[in-house]
Amino acid sequence: MEFNEAQKQAIRHIDGPCMVLAGPGSGKTSVITYRAKYLIEEAGIASDKLLIITFTRASAQEMKQRFLELMKGTETACTFGTFHSVFFHMLRTAYGYNSSQILMEEEKRAFLKDYIVRQGLEFDDEEEFIKDIMAEITLVKSEYMNLDYYYSTTCGEDVFRQIYKDYHAYLERENRLDFDDMLIYTYELLKERPDILASWQARYPYILIDEFQDINRIQYEVVKLLAGSRRNLFIVGDDDQSIYRFRGAKPEIMLGFPKDYPDTEIITLNVNYRSNREIVEGSLRLIERNQKRYAKPLVSAREYENPVYIHEYKTDKEENEGILKFIRMYRQQGIPYREMAVIFRTNTEPERLVRVLMEYNIPFRMRDRMPNLYDHFLARHMIAYANIASGSRKRSDYLVIWNRPKRYLRRDLLLEEEVELDRIRERVNDKAWAVKNLNQLAADIKRLQTMTPYAAIHYIRKKMGYDDYVREYAKERRLKEEELLDILDEIQALSEPYQTYQDWFAYIDEYGKQIEEQRARQKELGRTDDAITLTTMHSAKGLEYEVVFLMEANEGITPYKKAVKPEDIEEERRMFYVAVTRAKHYLHISYVKNRYNKTLEPSRFVYEIRHDRRQVKKKQIRVRNS
């Protein structure tokens, strides 16, 4: 295999700290595996002295396989693993932990779900709440924070701190540890036991770390302890691709590495062997806007081929149809579906595209969970109202809508499985305000009975005060109200073709079946099966495709509406950069002008890629043949 001069320099590095800044498509995996080979065969270092760490089990296995193929069957004892697997091995050796003591993520989720019920907490978006709480627990632990100084972005500080303390007490009581504890316990073990630290330092005098930009504070502190006075740390990564700040990863850690190790040899792998020159130059114009980064003079090994195509669409319906048109065109040109990807900021965006692909029977794989809009709690509320308007008297339906919007009615008034509002009115006849609210509910249900689904949703939102309830809920949960209102707009817009509740229910049921069929099909898809990839920006990292479609590049979507601080915007720009640099030959970026009767602006990142605002005027630029 031929290497450029920077790659050779990295491969031949032996002792002392070294930081390899590896731009997208620069061959970093080859550099790591060939450096391990060089240390063994040329520097005479025993293979069992090498520790090679990456962030996912799949990456560790892939790197190990490539290394073994490179060594052509030569017996080697290099250790390949993730931070968690390596650290747990240390804990098992010191304390005798076994795998049954690890609290898996599903168990953690189940504990929190049960805890919410036991504490009488009520959240409409329970699954989302649990996911956010889990992420915050990870952030607190990975940053080794003092809980008293952490301010939750998910709920009130007192609520979060109590959840955290009770969860921690549960782990101690059951003698369990979660994945975050593995990091903390390893750090504390090595800090408190110099003898154990010395034994591991002797065991692994050479440490190689891939994707270093994803490291968090506690992982880095352990790595520094292991490197010790030998300081044989070989780190490979790209601060421009640090996109996991929500779990503690920060580019500042990589930026500060030379301060911790002043004699660090810094090597830049600046040749992109993946993307054509237009894509590389466009991505540079984008990422150079970030202030906290290493400057990298990246160049493409490819010639100019195709421009970065920018598409303006009137609506998301038009955008999805446009993406479909290009997919079919590229397929006719001989590009397989598996070499195409559609990338988006969050997992809620491709809902309509999924419907279009299913309608045209185009195979696709979702790298994240297949979304079903009607699983959302807002949809469940609208469906419950529609059920009641259709004649349902089920207690389960009334429980859903009882105080949504707020009517200040006790849930324990709903005693029977079949609800009779007249009977409930008798139970509260000594409270005039409760009788008034029940009378209003009965009148509203009567009006809903004669409406279409679209008109009913509009009435619930605007006349019954449901939108105000959503705004209040968003404030309590520290969510962006616009995000929830957009989802309601989507639910309402999709109901418009149906004249009766029964027709709407039939569509929802049929769509649910199609989604479940697709989810089952996803599980059967192999990595080499011919299917288009649909993925979020986070999940796209490390992948590459002939053709990439980057959809809904609008302000408020990317950068995400929650991103307000300068460091938030820089993280959003890094995510966009990751998405852009997945493309080899064809990159299509699209944005919409209107959504739910609201005018949207193109993302600032679109302007940055194309130099300035004047170059983002063209609509659906014709694609040249390759």
Side-chain angles (χ1 to χ4, degrees):
M1 185 172 179
E2 291 187 11
F3 294 101
N4 61 42
E5 288 305 311
Q7 290 172 327
K8 290 177 184 176
Q9 185 182 354
I11 289 168
R12 293 168 183 168
H13 177 88
I14 299 176
D15 292 311
C18 180
M19 178 169 66
V20 179
L21 300 173
S26 60
K28 67 181 180 62
T29 303
S30 295
V31 165
I32 292 171
T33 52
Y34 271 87
R35 184 193 180 236
K37 182 176 187 286
Y38 185 86
L39 289 176
I40 295 165
E41 295 184 347
E42 303 299 328
I45 295 163
S47 62
D48 64 352
K49 299 298 183 183
L50 272 59
L51 172 60
I52 301 170
I53 302 177
T54 189
F55 279 80
T56 67
R57 185 184 302 174
S59 297
Q61 290 173 343
E62 182 182 349
M63 191 170 291
K64 182 177 181 179
Q65 186 60 38
R66 287 180 65 169
F67 175 72
L68 293 176
E69 290 171 2
L70 188 62
M71 299 300 288
K72 297 176 181 176
T74 304
E75 198 70 32
T76 63
C78 292
T79 297
F80 289 85
T82 63
F83 278 105
H84 287 106
S85 67
V86 171
F87 289 4
F88 186 67
H89 178 62
M90 294 177 180
L91 293 176
R92 186 170 54 195
T93 303
Y95 298 130
Y97 278 115
N98 60 68
S99 57
S100 67
Q101 291 175 273
I102 301 172
L103 190 81
M104 306 306 289
E105 291 298 282
E106 280 306 313
E107 293 178 285
K108 185 176 182 179
R109 188 176 286 106
F111 167 82
L112 291 171
K113 190 178 182 73
D114 181 61
Y115 179 86
I116 287 170
V117 173
R118 284 188 285 107
Q119 294 298 313
L121 301 173
E122 189 175 341
F123 299 99
D124 287 332
D125 58 336
E126 186 177 279
E127 291 300 320
E128 194 70 19
F129 175 78
I130 290 172
K131 186 187 79 172
D132 291 344
I133 286 291
M134 289 172 67
E136 291 205 70
I137 289 172
T138 290
L139 183 62
V140 170
K141 289 188 177 185
S142 66
E143 286 289 292
Y144 214 55
M145 290 183 190
N146 183 328
L147 186 62
D148 292 336
Y149 298 109
Y150 178 73
Y151 295 92
S152 173
T153 59
T154 298
C155 57
E157 278 68 53
D158 292 342
V159 173
F160 175 77
R161 287 168 189 163
Q162 195 59 52
I163 291 174
Y164 185 97
K165 289 174 182 176
D166 290 347
Y167 170 65
H168 187 66
Y170 163 76
L171 290 174
E172 288 190 334
R173 188 169 62 251
E174 298 295 322
N175 194 25
R176 307 285 295 275
L177 73 165
D178 63 17
F179 288 101
D180 305 315
D181 292 329
M182 289 184 199
L183 312 181
I184 293 172
Y185 292 175
T186 304
Y187 173 68
E188 291 174 346
L189 169 69
L190 299 181
K191 282 283 286 183
E192 295 167 7
R193 291 289 301 274
D195 56 327
I196 292 177
L197 173 61
S199 69
W200 286 111
Q201 288 173 336
R203 174 75 173 84
Y204 295 126
Y206 289 87
I207 303 171
L208 298 81
I209 303 176
D210 187 22
E211 302 285 8
F212 188 80
Q213 76 278 349
D214 293 338
I215 202 167
N216 62 40
R217 177 60 58 189
I218 198 77
Q219 289 167 338
Y220 184 44
E221 293 302 323
V222 174
V223 164
K224 287 194 291 185
L225 288 171
L226 289 173
S229 59
R230 291 190 179 90
R231 302 177 312 115
N232 289 328
L233 265 180
F234 184 86
I235 67 168
V236 181
D238 182 4
D239 55 301
D240 289 332
Q241 296 186 66
S242 177
I243 60 173
Y244 297 116
R245 196 153 60 94
F246 64 90
R247 64 186 188 205
K250 296 178 181 177
E252 289 86 350
I253 296 176
M254 194 166 187
L255 292 169
F257 188 80
K259 295 178 183 176
D260 294 331
Y261 298 94
D263 57 337
T264 296
E265 181 178 10
I266 301 176
I267 302 167
T268 302
L269 305 184
N270 70 326
V271 181
N272 184 323
Y273 294 95
R274 175 192 301 152
S275 306
N276 76 42
R277 199 164 295 183
E278 287 266 15
I279 294 171
V280 171
E281 291 177 358
S283 70
L284 269 180
R285 287 193 291 271
L286 169 77
I287 202 62
E288 284 175 348
R289 299 294 185 105
N290 275 4
Q291 300 299 308
K292 294 181 178 180
R293 65 183 293 270
Y294 289 109
K296 307 174 193 71
L298 303 178
V299 296
S300 173
R302 299 181 183 274
E303 297 300 319
Y304 290 106
E305 296 175 0
N306 307 285
V308 174
Y309 299 107
I310 308 292
H311 308 287
E312 176 189 279
Y313 295 104
K314 289 181 181 178
T315 63
D316 54 356
K317 182 176 184 292
E318 190 179 291
E319 180 184 42
N320 291 326
E321 290 170 350
I323 291 172
L324 175 66
K325 181 188 75 173
F326 286 118
I327 287 171
R328 298 172 83 176
M329 185 198 74
Y330 283 122
R331 187 69 189 88
Q332 289 172 359
Q333 291 180 5
I335 297 177
Y337 287 133
R338 64 176 169 272
E339 284 296 336
M340 302 183 212
V342 182
I343 303 178
F344 33 86
R345 174 61 181 84
T346 68
N347 203 32
T348 59
E349 287 151 45
E351 183 91 30
R352 287 198 174 196
L353 180 62
V354 164
R355 288 195 288 271
V356 170
L357 294 177
M358 289 194 299
E359 181 182 348
Y360 286 88
N361 202 29
I362 292 176
F364 64 92
R365 63 166 56 84
M366 290 283 298
R367 285 185 59 82
D368 306 88
R369 179 171 170 78
M370 178 91 60
N372 183 347
L373 179 66
Y374 300 103
D375 289 339
H376 198 281
F377 76 89
L378 296 172
R380 293 199 302 271
H381 294 175
M382 296 301 107
I383 291 168
Y385 270 111
N387 281 333
I388 292 169
S390 299
S392 171
R393 292 163 52 201
K394 290 181 180 178
R395 179 174 180 269
S396 57
D397 284 327
Y398 274 91
L399 279 170
V400 171
I401 63 96
W402 200 232
N403 281 303
R404 300 178 175 106
K406 292 283 178 65
R407 298 184 177 92
Y408 306 98
L409 299 170
R410 302 194 320 271
R411 289 168 63 90
D412 59 12
L413 290 171
L414 297 167
L415 299 174
E416 296 83 12
E417 287 303 312
E418 292 286 316
V419 174
E420 291 283 357
L421 290 183
D422 288 340
R423 186 181 301 173
I424 294 173
R425 198 179 288 112
E426 292 172 2
R427 293 173 186 153
V428 296
N429 60 12
D430 59 332
K431 298 180 178 67
W433 62 268
V435 172
K436 180 182 176 182
N437 288 348
L438 281 168
N439 288 339
Q440 184 61 55
L441 175 59
D444 287 334
I445 290 170
K446 188 173 182 179
R447 288 190 181 92
L448 293 175
Q449 289 170 353
T450 62
M451 294 181 180
T452 65
Y454 181 88
I457 294 172
H458 179 81
Y459 182 84
I460 294 164
R461 295 179 62 184
K462 306 302 180 184
K463 301 297 184 181
M464 293 172 63
Y466 186 82
D467 277 6
D468 292 334
Y469 162 78
V470 168
R471 291 187 182 96
E472 186 178 342
Y473 182 79
K475 188 176 180 180
E476 290 172 1
R477 274 278 283 110
R478 302 188 177 181
L479 302 171
K480 288 288 185 180
E481 65 179 55
E482 298 93 337
E483 186 176 338
L484 296 180
L485 294 174
D486 281 352
I487 292 169
L488 276 170
D489 287 340
E490 174 85 348
I491 295 165
Q492 185 173 342
L494 289 172
S495 73
E496 191 167 9
Y498 306 99
Q499 295 305 303
T500 69
Y501 293 120
Q502 285 66 36
D503 290 343
W504 189 47
F505 294 154
Y507 159 72
I508 292 170
D509 289 343
E510 181 59 31
Y511 181 64
K513 289 174 185 175
Q514 292 176 2
I515 290 292
E516 287 308 313
E517 288 171 6
Q518 281 293 337
R519 285 173 179 168
R521 207 171 297 168
Q522 299 292 307
K523 295 176 182 177
E524 297 170 3
L525 278 174
R527 293 182 66 182
T528 58
D529 286 343
D530 199 24
I532 296 165
T533 297
L534 273 59
T535 177
T536 61
M537 294 177 182
H538 280 114
S539 296
K541 194 159 163 290
L543 306 176
E544 60 182 29
Y545 303 92
E546 296 285 324
V547 184
V548 166
F549 300 94
L550 185 45
M551 68 182 290
E552 294 200 350
N554 286 92
E555 285 290 308
I557 298 175
T558 178
Y560 197 46
K561 59 189 76 175
K562 288 184 179 180
V564 291
K565 298 177 182 176
E567 58 267 31
D568 297 332
I569 296 298
E570 294 215 348
E571 174 110 339
E572 292 287 319
R573 187 176 284 111
R574 290 193 295 271
M575 276 191 274
F576 204 85
Y577 177 74
V578 165
V580 163
T581 54
R582 300 310 95 196
K584 295 180 185 178
H585 299 292
Y586 301 98
L587 173 62
H588 294 261
I589 302 175
S590 57
Y591 61 91
V592 299
K593 292 183 69 177
N594 295 284
R595 195 179 189 192
Y596 313 127
N597 299 317
K598 299 173 187 172
T599 301
L600 300 182
E601 289 295 321
S603 169
R604 70 193 74 181
F605 303 149
V606 175
Y607 299 137
E608 292 167 6
I609 282 179
R610 295 301 299 269
H611 291 301
D612 60 43
R613 289 177 177 265
R614 291 171 298 174
Q615 298 194 38
V616 191
K617 297 289 186 183
K618 292 186 179 180
K619 186 177 177 182
Q620 295 205 33
I621 305 167
R622 185 172 62 84
V623 177
R624 296 198 302 262
N625 292 335
S626 57

